[in-house]
Amino acid sequence: MESQKQTEGETKRSEEFRMVLPANANIRRVNFDDLEAVMAINDDIYEGLDYMPVLFYTFLHSKQHEMYVYEKDGKVISLANYLFPSGKKGEAHLMSGRVHPSHQNQGLRKWARTYLEKAYPEIVKCSTSTLFTPYLRNKVNDFESVYVMNLLLYKLSDRTQIERFVQHRRRLDGSSNPMTISHSKLTKMLDSSSSDQLLRFISRYNGDFIPLGPTGNPVGVNGEGLRYISSFANVLVTYRAKKSVASLHKETPSLAAAIEPRHLRARADGERQVVGFSCSTVTPCKYGSRSDLVFYGDDVDDLIGHFVCDLRHHLSITKDDVSIAYFLQFPQSISVQEVEEKLSEELGTRVRSDYFSAVQLIHYCTKFAQAKL
């Protein structure tokens, strides 16, 4: 009965909102027959790296997601996909959205948020992640919290070249090889004293949540969130000894590089510290397969070490004829130019296009002006 009343209330608010729309426009929830119409908005979006065909029905089945379309003259011209982590109260996260090319730059970017303000007044915050455009640079001071990550995209189709790169880098960067953390291993870690160190390390870079996967799904920086991540993502952690490794590097750098990973694994938790953390997900797409890797740390060699280990994992779970694309996200403390220079000789240059011209991604949170508890 309560659920029915809630639905009726939402329907009433939706009807009130429609009254302010143009006569030929309409907003409605997405249904299972809309995939073709949604893809027709822009079939070439993300240059063949679109995840929507794979995740469309997952979003519809999810109780935490709601997708809406904006129709004009009966044709779907825009989509917005929102995540409600705590139901229709608290926060809403814009996971994905798109506008038909012929209707862009007409203010349609705001329709979904305006609709949510009217339909769900209990929502108090909205957060999203997007390429750091000049528009957002001018709006940063208006947001409650802002977190910016560097972003590089690589499209890789030559498997032989990729495998040579992986083997070469594994020999060259032996000291930066991270440890793969399985779900069971992470569960044990979170039950030990080392869990606080790991959580504190991640919190230094992004505060409350980790943006996971192609949609930037926000996952809490806590024990429950990390368990969730490790259940399906590839998780890597790099450790350093707190004292002896630095001096060992100065005396015998080649020997240190060769023995450090095993040496560090044998140490007690209290004698080592986390210096790198990453998680990645793999999604099929039109291009082939895309991996979204989020890295936290301040060392460019650690970043590349995580990238190489994850790429090796990616090669092992895909067929030989599958092209691979990588979205690398990492803190601004690491130079984009330095990463590009280290990778360009063996992998080629990153993707540079109209859509992927930006090298920064912004995660921001803003309050709904009209919302109330």
Side-chain angles (χ1 to χ4, degrees):
M1 188 67 178
E2 183 178 347
S3 176
Q4 183 179 354
K5 288 182 179 179
Q6 183 178 3
T7 303
E8 291 174 353
E10 293 174 0
T11 302
K12 183 178 179 180
R13 286 193 288 265
S14 299
E15 291 174 349
E16 291 174 352
F17 179 70
R18 288 194 186 98
M19 294 173 64
V20 301
L21 290 173
N24 61 343
N26 180 46
I27 293 176
R28 62 172 177 83
R29 288 278 293 275
V30 172
N31 59 55
F32 287 90
D33 298 324
D34 283 330
L35 176 58
E36 185 176 344
V38 167
M39 295 308 301
I41 295 174
N42 191 346
D43 187 45
D44 292 325
I45 194 170
Y46 305 137
E47 301 181 13
L49 303 177
D50 189 10
Y51 48 82
M52 187 57 71
V54 177
L55 299 179
F56 180 80
Y57 296 107
T58 301
F59 292 142
L60 284 181
H61 281 292
S62 172
K63 294 182 179 180
Q64 291 186 315
H65 286 87
E66 286 191 5
M67 290 197 293
Y68 300 89
V69 289
Y70 187 102
E71 296 176 317
K72 188 173 183 180
D73 296 322
K75 181 181 178 181
V76 174
I77 62 171
S78 183
L79 167 81
N81 176 25
Y82 273 90
L83 170 71
F84 300 87
S86 306
K88 302 302 188 302
K89 295 182 179 180
E91 298 183 10
H93 299 271
L94 179 62
M95 308 300 296
S96 54
R98 57 196 66 189
V99 179
H100 192 279
S102 63
H103 295 276
Q104 292 177 1
N105 301 317
Q106 297 179 15
L108 284 177
R109 183 188 185 96
K110 303 175 182 178
W111 70 263
R113 176 179 168 178
T114 305
Y115 173 80
L116 289 178
E117 288 180 346
K118 297 288 186 178
Y120 304 114
E122 298 85 3
I123 296 174
V124 295
K125 290 182 181 179
C126 173
S127 65
T128 188
S129 60
T130 185
L131 292 179
F132 201 178
T133 63
Y135 165 79
L136 286 173
R137 285 185 185 276
N138 297 329
K139 296 286 290 182
V140 164
N141 292 333
D142 297 337
F143 300 136
E144 181 180 354
S145 60
V146 177
Y147 176 62
V148 181
M149 290 279 278
N150 288 330
L151 172 71
L152 294 179
L153 166 62
Y154 289 88
K155 279 186 174 182
L156 313 173
S157 56
D158 188 339
R159 302 279 290 208
T160 303
Q161 179 189 15
I162 299 172
E163 290 171 357
R164 284 200 302 266
F165 164 74
V166 169
Q167 295 302 322
H168 173 67
R169 280 292 171 179
R170 281 176 64 81
R171 290 193 298 269
L172 186 65
D173 300 325
S175 62
S176 298
N177 284 342
M179 296 170 56
T180 300
I181 306 297
S182 64
H183 181 69
S184 59
K185 186 182 293 185
L186 184 60
T187 298
K188 291 181 181 179
M189 181 187 299
L190 292 172
D191 292 335
S192 68
S193 57
S194 61
S195 64
D196 290 340
Q197 181 194 157
L198 180 60
L199 293 173
R200 284 198 304 270
F201 175 81
I202 299 173
S203 296
R204 283 167 44 195
Y205 296 93
N206 63 355
D208 296 332
F209 64 86
I210 298 173
L212 186 66
T215 59
N217 186 17
V219 179
V221 182
N222 49 51
E224 182 180 353
L226 291 185
R227 287 188 183 91
Y228 172 74
I229 290 173
S230 65
S231 65
F232 65 90
N234 188 37
V235 177
L236 300 169
V237 178
T238 299
Y239 289 100
R240 291 281 191 279
K242 288 186 177 180
K243 295 182 180 178
S244 59
V245 169
S247 58
L248 185 60
H249 273 234
K250 292 179 181 179
E251 295 173 7
T252 55
S254 59
L255 176 62
I259 68 173
E260 184 177 350
R262 183 180 299 176
H263 175 63
L264 285 178
R265 291 187 187 111
R267 287 180 173 270
D269 286 340
E271 298 179 3
R272 63 182 186 177
Q273 58 187 350
V274 177
V275 295
F277 173 90
S278 71
C279 57
S280 71
T281 59
V282 178
T283 308
C285 61
K286 187 176 179 180
Y287 175 76
S289 176
R290 64 175 278 175
S291 181
D292 293 81
L293 186 147
V294 181
F295 172 82
Y296 299 123
D298 300 315
D299 191 301
V300 64
D301 291 325
D302 287 335
L303 165 63
I304 293 178
H306 281 241
F307 174 45
V308 169
C309 284
D310 193 79
L311 185 54
R312 184 165 175 262
H313 169 72
H314 202 150
L315 290 172
S316 70
I317 62 175
T318 56
K319 294 182 179 180
D320 292 341
D321 60 346
V322 174
S323 298
I324 295 174
Y326 257 88
F327 286 76
L328 300 178
Q329 293 185 44
F330 51 95
Q332 290 188 292
S333 55
I334 298 178
S335 166
V336 171
Q337 182 178 356
E338 186 176 3
V339 176
E340 286 191 86
E341 289 175 353
K342 284 179 174 287
L343 295 179
S344 62
E345 183 176 346
E346 294 152 287
L347 283 183
T349 59
R350 68 174 177 88
V351 173
R352 290 177 171 86
S353 64
D354 291 341
Y355 187 82
F356 294 110
S357 59
V359 292
Q360 288 182 328
L361 192 76
I362 178 173
H363 307 283
Y364 64 87
C365 184
T366 185
K367 290 183 177 180
F368 276 176
Q370 300 176 7
K372 58 179 181 294
L373 287 174

